[in-house]
Amino acid sequence: MQPHNVVSREAWIAARKAHLVHEKELTQARERLSEERRALPWVKVDKDYAFDGPGGKVTLAELFRGRRQLVVQHFMFAPDWNEGCKHCSFWADGFERMIPHLAARDATLVAISRAPVEKLAAFQTRMGWTFDWLSSGNNDFNYDYEVSFTPEALNSGEDKYNFGTTRIGMEEAPGISVFYRDEAGTIFHTYSCFARGLDMMNAAYHYLDLTPLGRHEEDLPYPMDWVRLRDHYTPAPVQASCCHS
């Protein structure tokens, strides 16, 4: 961490107000970006996707649960894996309790992975999650929305991720896709984001960004190397109490 000046409260307030100007600029830019996002054109979904859920087959239309908007968290969990991706789990810990709030604004959020529903259910129980989690192992959904890649695509260099901007080099990738269902029942794909575009959905990262050390990932092999499944973290050393009995 870089050295910091220690100043009076008055000097700190002055510096904080100067920084507030830039924070407001970012907020206004983000609002403009959100308006631009909502104005993007849509694509009609012509495929009849059916997913495996705990109670049997579920169509894409049924995932909306009667609401107009559907947010799909593309959760990395390949059929032959024994547990879900630790990074996607980091996001899932954050959105687990958002579901009722999203529902109040006419939006349903679900997670979809290629692993069989039995594996999803077991891992979900282990993590204590309650959101709807479906398997797309028997359809092309993950491939169509470019978060899963066949061995042939990997071998031929066709594993293009984030709208073709980069090769992913692995069979599974994270993402979020958004859909809208109109009164006639027609479904439209309205938005998807990948890679760093997912950062804005991780509240823990934004809390860390407020701290003096930030995410402090600079010296790691890759930025998220520190992340573990919630039940895999080593307990922090217990420090001596500052109070004496």
Side-chain angles (χ1 to χ4, degrees):
M1 184 172 65
Q2 64 182 5
H4 280 73
N5 293 330
V6 177
V7 299
S8 67
R9 180 70 178 176
E10 291 75 16
W12 182 86
I13 291 292
R16 180 65 186 89
K17 284 183 175 180
H19 179 62
L20 182 60
V21 172
H22 300 293
E23 288 183 331
K24 288 184 175 182
E25 290 172 350
L26 177 61
T27 297
Q28 292 163 0
R30 185 171 58 243
E31 289 173 347
R32 290 193 298 270
L33 188 67
S34 295
E35 291 176 359
E36 183 179 300
R37 181 186 301 119
R38 289 190 292 270
L40 287 171
W42 296 353
V43 178
K44 183 180 177 181
V45 178
D46 292 319
K47 280 193 177 181
D48 295 324
Y49 296 103
F51 305 90
D52 294 315
K57 293 291 184 181
V58 183
T59 66
L60 181 62
E62 290 172 327
L63 294 184
F64 284 77
R65 287 181 169 263
R67 303 183 183 97
R68 288 179 294 177
Q69 301 172 112
L70 174 69
V71 180
V72 173
Q73 191 83 25
H74 298 292
F75 195 119
M76 295 168 62
F77 198 155
D80 58 339
W81 296 3
N82 293 321
E83 58 186 20
C85 166
K86 64 180 183 178
H87 300 146
C88 293
S89 297
F90 185 27
W91 264 253
D93 283 336
F95 67 68
E96 158 67 18
R97 295 300 181 185
M98 294 182 187
I99 308 299
H101 301 291
L102 296 175
R105 302 311 297 157
D106 204 13
T108 299
L109 187 150
V110 303
I112 293 179
S113 305
R114 287 197 304 123
V117 68
E118 295 80 11
K119 284 189 175 183
L120 302 182
F123 190 63
Q124 186 169 26
T125 298
R126 170 184 161 187
M127 293 290 102
W129 297 328
T130 60
F131 53 81
D132 290 340
W133 199 354
L134 293 305
S135 172
S136 59
N138 292 319
N139 64 41
D140 295 328
F141 185 79
N142 277 44
Y143 299 104
D144 291 344
Y145 290 93
E146 300 179 333
V147 289
S148 293
F149 303 91
T150 64
E152 293 76 18
L154 293 171
N155 292 332
S156 65
E158 294 301 316
D159 52 325
K160 297 299 178 66
Y161 180 56
N162 200 9
F163 305 105
T165 59
T166 183
R167 287 194 61 187
I168 189 64
M170 54 187 182
E171 62 179 332
E172 299 293 316
I176 295 173
S177 291
V178 182
F179 302 87
Y180 183 87
R181 187 170 183 258
D182 66 14
E183 293 182 358
T186 305
I187 298 173
F188 303 90
H189 175 217
T190 67
Y191 183 72
S192 284
C193 63
F194 310 96
R196 290 297 301 276
L198 304 176
D199 268 19
M200 63 180 178
M201 312 312 298
N202 192 310
Y205 260 156
H206 291 289
Y207 275 105
L208 288 174
D209 287 343
L210 301 180
T211 66
L213 293 178
R215 304 181 189 186
H216 51 104
E217 298 177 328
E218 296 79 10
D219 297 327
L220 299 177
Y222 62 93
M224 297 187 69
D225 183 56
W226 64 273
V227 174
R228 302 288 183 270
L229 293 174
R230 192 174 67 247
D231 58 357
H232 280 186
Y233 282 110
T234 301
V238 177
Q239 297 183 0
S241 173
C242 63
C243 303
H244 302 279
S245 57

